[in-house]
């Protein structure tokens, strides 16, 4: 059995990207939390990788940040590919 996903390098890419899209939307954690009808601690936990998102939650997160889920997934895949390339 493989590593839990929270310990995989891709999880760091995901949490970094979630933080980036929130900031690009010019939202702080409290503002995004209000849009999601969640406490600010929820957004913080997600961005620190302590709470996982299911697909519907990820879609909501993206929508409230003004980003289409498919675009987010494309950015994620690009970032994972960049992170896995060896340094020259």
């Amino acid at each position: 059995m493989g590593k839990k996903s929270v310990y995989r390098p891709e999880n760091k890419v995901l949490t970094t990207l979630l933080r980036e899209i929130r900031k690009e939307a010019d939202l702080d954690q409290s503002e995004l939390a209000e849009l999601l009808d969640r406490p600010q601690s929820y957004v913080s936990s997600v961005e620190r990788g302590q709470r996982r998102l299911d697909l519907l939650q990820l879609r909501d997160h993206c929508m409230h940040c003004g980003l289409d889920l498919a675009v987010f997934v494309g950015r994620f895949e690009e970032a994972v590919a960049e992170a896995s390339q060896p340094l020259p």
Side-chain angles (χ1 to χ4, degrees), residues 13-80:
V13 172
L14 176 63
T15 57
T16 299
L17 189 53
L18 287 169
R19 191 174 311 105
E20 285 177 10
I21 68 166
R22 175 181 56 76
K23 289 180 178 181
E24 288 168 5
D26 199 28
L27 297 170
D28 62 29
Q29 289 183 346
S30 297
E31 292 167 329
L32 179 56
E34 188 173 322
L35 292 169
L36 294 168
D37 196 27
R38 297 288 197 138
Q40 176 273 328
S41 59
Y42 169 83
V43 175
S44 177
S45 293
V46 168
E47 290 183 359
R48 285 183 287 131
Q50 295 179 329
R51 178 181 292 268
R52 294 176 56 183
L53 298 175
D54 66 26
L55 185 60
L56 297 177
Q57 292 167 321
L58 178 59
R59 182 175 176 264
D60 289 343
H61 199 104
C62 290
M63 282 183 4
H64 289 301
C65 290
L67 190 66
D68 183 77
L69 178 60
V71 173
F72 178 85
V73 171
R75 284 179 61 178
F76 171 77
E77 289 296 335
E78 287 176 16
V80 167

